[in-house]
């Protein structure tokens, strides 16, 4: 779409936070997780960090390890992520 002299992109694909692969529009196994930032008292500050995982990472059963690695790199402590294991979980539990 062109507007005067500005060119606007209509679609910007996401990238997997773990592998830097592009996440296509048809990758229905991909997930995007927002993890809230907390202060030193453990209270939510209103901001969050976003991680996107491709279906490839989830299919290889590397989602939990990738989130732990990314969170550690961002300076988060691992004990602040217990709910994440429940969110990512095993998809077989819904059958």
């Amino acid at each position: 779409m062109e507007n005067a002299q500005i060119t606007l992109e209509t679609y910007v694909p996401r990238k997997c936070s773990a592998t830097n692969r592009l996440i296509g529009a048809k990758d229905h196994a991909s997930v995007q997780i927002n993890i809230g930032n907390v202060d030193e008292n453990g209270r939510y500050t209103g901001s969050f960090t976003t991680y996107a995982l491709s279906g490839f990472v989830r299919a290889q059963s590397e989602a939990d390890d990738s989130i732990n690695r990314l969170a550690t790199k961002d300076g988060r402590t691992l004990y602040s992520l217990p709910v994440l294991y429940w969110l990512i979980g095993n998809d077989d539990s819904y059958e």
Side-chain angles (χ1 to χ4, degrees):
M1 174 187 296
E2 291 191 26
N3 190 1
Q5 295 178 351
I6 301 172
T7 302
L8 299 175
E9 296 294 328
T10 56
Y11 175 70
V12 178
R14 294 178 295 160
K15 288 182 83 172
C16 177
S17 300
T19 62
N20 286 329
R21 290 183 178 198
L22 288 178
I23 299 175
K26 296 292 183 178
D27 187 357
H28 297 294
S30 64
V31 293
Q32 182 170 323
I33 300 173
N34 294 334
I35 300 177
N37 298 327
V38 295
D39 61 9
E40 54 277 347
N41 296 324
R43 293 185 182 151
Y44 178 61
T45 62
S47 61
F48 53 85
T49 303
T50 302
Y51 298 111
L53 296 175
S54 65
F56 172 78
V57 172
R58 295 186 70 215
Q60 298 297 319
S61 301
E62 293 292 327
D64 58 342
D65 184 48
S66 297
I67 290 292
N68 283 335
R69 182 175 45 81
L70 292 167
T72 302
K73 184 177 81 172
D74 288 343
R76 294 182 176 273
T77 55
L78 296 179
Y79 62 84
S80 65
L81 300 173
V83 176
L84 189 58
Y85 291 107
W86 177 78
L87 289 174
I88 293 175
N90 185 356
D91 290 339
D92 296 337
S93 62
Y94 296 107
E95 293 179 356

